[in-house]
């Protein structure tokens, strides 16, 4: 009786360990079986190349799936990932250039690296994955993305989506943020990302970019942001190589706040045909106030001779004239919907006019004839 029971237990255990995984998508199964031909697409916990179908029976069993720690199934026209839930030990996965519309990372509780770019992804759920260090989800259909609580996250690449905002608060480990084109961000806050070193925000709808709490940043690409008005680089860090920074084609950029002594370095960055805007280490001209980003303020004439006038849909408290070093040289108080500043005694040249209204502030370049 005992022998029969032992045999039954061993038989059941053997069947369970050899349980075959059912895959809905034949392309997924074919790609996984391909690892015997392309071993670099799969590896074990020691980083060694692994053939998933280790017994060469043309099937994948649970025990074989559990041996996998890294997996690359890119470019296989896969639309359904059903079956991958058996790969519970995966820490690194890449499934770019497929037809996957949604992905739930709960398949992989130990996931550290996720690369899923170039898929028609409408949803991507990575909530609760505190081990995740790198996320690449470029050129997809994402309209929202929740990375809150992913405190180990070091790299985010999200170019080419329809995201307008992304909450990066609390992500102190973040070192790289890349959005090189086509993602219409209207707001991004990098204040908590104190270890940020590499930043690319191109083709966004941002109106200001505040990097005042990112002293380690050494590479910046900030181009083709047609609504961008101010940048704050006053962060106490050291710009090691200005040629690693690009600020081309930001036609409405009118002010950059920089660290003391770094104005020449920032000027030497890549600016393209438009050239650099006025700079100063006095940040009261820039992002410390609420910026007006619509057309509620009108300044005229510009260039001006003896005076400049300002009209606004909101009450103007005062207008302030600064030279290009950031020094305040003249103030006119108003408390009305219009204001003017006398310029008769001012030398010809370029100035900055800071317009303070109840709706916020706006900084405009002003040319004195």
């Amino acid at each position: 009786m005992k022998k029969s029971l032992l045999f039954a237990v061993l038989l059941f255990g053997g069947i369970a360990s050899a349980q075959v995984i059912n895959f809905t998508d034949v392309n997924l199964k074919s790609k996984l079986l391909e690892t015997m031909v392309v071993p670099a697409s799969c590896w074990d916990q020691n980083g060694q190349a692994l053939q998933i179908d280790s017994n060469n029976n043309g099937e994948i069993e649970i025990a074989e799936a559990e041996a996998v720690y890294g997996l690359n199934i890119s470019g296989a026209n896969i639309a359904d990932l059903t079956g991958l839930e058996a790969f519970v030990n995966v820490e690194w996965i890449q499934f770019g250039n497929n037809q996957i519309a949604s992905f739930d990372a709960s398949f992989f509780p130990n996931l550290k690296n996720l690369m899923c770019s170039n898929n028609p992804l409408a949803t991507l759920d990575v909530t609760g994955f505190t081990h995740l260090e790198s996320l690449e989800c470029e050129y997809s259909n994402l309209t929202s993305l929740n990375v809150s609580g992913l405190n180990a996250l070091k790299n985010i690449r999200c170019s080419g989506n329809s995201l307008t905002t992304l909450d990066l608060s609390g992500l102190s480990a973040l070192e790289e943020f890349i959005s090189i084109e086509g993602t219409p961000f209207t707001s991004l806050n990098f204040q908590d990302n104190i270890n940020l070193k590499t930043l690319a925000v191109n083709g966004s709808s941002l109106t200001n970019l505040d990097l005042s709490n990112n002293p380690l940043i050494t590479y910046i690409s900030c181009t083709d942001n047609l609504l961008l008005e101010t940048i704050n680089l006053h962060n106490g860090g050291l710009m090691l190589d200005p040629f690693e920074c690009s600020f081309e084609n930001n036609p409405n950029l009118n002010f950059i706040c920089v660290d003391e002594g770094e104005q020449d370095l920032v000027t030497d960055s890549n600016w393209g045909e438009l050239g650099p805007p006025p700079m100063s280490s006095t940040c009261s001209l820039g992002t410390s106030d609420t910026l007006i980003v619509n057309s509620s303020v009108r300044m005229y004439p510009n260039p001006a001779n003896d005076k400049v006038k300002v009209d606004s849909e909101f009450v103007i408290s005062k207008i302030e004239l600064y030279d290009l070093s950031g020094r305040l040289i003249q103030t006119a108080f108003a408390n009305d919907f219009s204001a003017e500043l006398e310029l008769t005694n001012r030398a010809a040249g370029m100035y900055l006019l800071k317009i303070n209204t109840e709706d916020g502030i706006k900084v405009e370049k002003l040319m004195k004839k």
Side-chain angles (χ1 to χ4, degrees), residues 27-304:
N27 292 327
L28 173 58
K29 183 177 180 180
S30 296
K31 188 67 173 180
L32 294 171
L33 291 173
E34 204 177 85
T35 56
M36 68 178 67
V37 180
V38 190
S41 62
C42 178
W43 54 93
D44 63 19
Q45 65 184 110
N46 297 314
Q48 299 298 312
L50 180 69
Q51 176 183 320
I52 299 179
D53 182 18
S54 58
N55 59 11
N56 295 311
N57 68 350
E59 302 289 349
I60 298 174
E61 287 114 31
I62 287 179
E64 292 172 328
E66 290 176 347
V68 176
Y69 282 74
L71 186 62
N72 185 346
I73 51 173
S74 298
N77 202 32
I78 298 167
D80 191 334
L81 295 177
T82 301
L84 280 191
E85 61 269 17
F87 290 70
V88 294
N89 292 317
V90 163
E91 297 178 352
W92 190 104
I93 187 168
Q94 180 171 356
F95 56 86
N97 296 291
N98 281 295
Q99 299 300 317
I100 298 163
S102 65
F103 177 70
D104 181 355
S106 62
F107 287 174
F108 313 115
N110 301 312
L111 193 63
K112 294 181 179 180
N113 296 275
L114 171 59
M115 285 161 280
C116 53
S117 299
N118 295 291
N119 278 284
L121 279 169
T123 60
L124 176 61
D125 186 359
V126 292
T127 54
F129 284 82
T130 55
H131 300 294
L132 195 65
E133 297 178 359
S134 181
L135 173 60
E136 297 183 15
C137 53
E138 299 182 298
Y139 306 105
S140 300
N141 295 331
L142 296 174
T143 58
S144 64
L145 180 63
N146 184 2
V147 295
S148 298
L150 306 186
N151 296 331
L153 201 57
K154 295 181 179 179
N155 310 93
I156 298 176
R157 291 176 174 248
C158 55
S159 309
N161 282 286
S162 298
L163 302 168
T164 57
T165 188
L166 185 60
D167 184 2
L168 303 173
S169 59
L171 305 186
S172 60
L174 192 66
E175 297 180 359
E176 178 188 75
F177 183 89
I178 303 293
S179 176
I180 57 173
E181 62 180 68
T183 302
F185 286 114
T186 58
S187 65
L188 285 170
N189 188 334
F190 296 103
Q191 287 298 295
D192 287 351
N193 315 128
I194 56 175
N195 288 300
L196 189 65
K197 299 175 182 177
T198 299
L199 174 67
V201 181
N202 302 340
S204 76
S205 296
L206 293 175
T207 57
N208 68 86
L209 179 62
D210 188 350
L211 302 175
S212 60
N213 206 39
N214 311 106
L216 301 181
I217 197 161
T218 54
Y219 173 86
I220 303 172
S221 177
C222 179
T223 66
D224 302 310
N225 302 290
L226 304 184
L227 301 179
L228 188 65
E229 295 189 350
T230 64
I231 300 176
N232 190 344
L233 294 176
H234 196 295
N235 53 32
L238 180 62
M239 182 173 285
L240 299 177
D241 186 355
F243 298 105
E244 290 294 313
C245 299
S246 179
F247 302 96
E248 296 179 84
N249 194 31
N250 300 300
N252 287 302
L253 185 62
N254 57 49
F255 181 74
I256 295 186
C257 188
V258 298
D259 285 317
E260 291 81 358
E262 286 202 345
Q263 183 167 333
D264 289 343
L265 284 173
V266 177
T267 301
D268 287 340
S269 299
N270 298 313
W271 288 99
E273 295 181 359
L274 296 176
M279 301 180 199
S280 172
S281 59
T282 304
C283 291
S284 60
L285 287 172
T287 59
S288 61
D289 298 297
T290 302
L291 292 170
I292 300 170
V293 298
N294 54 36
S295 58
S296 64
V297 173
R298 186 168 70 99
M299 179 186 73
Y300 62 96
N302 189 17

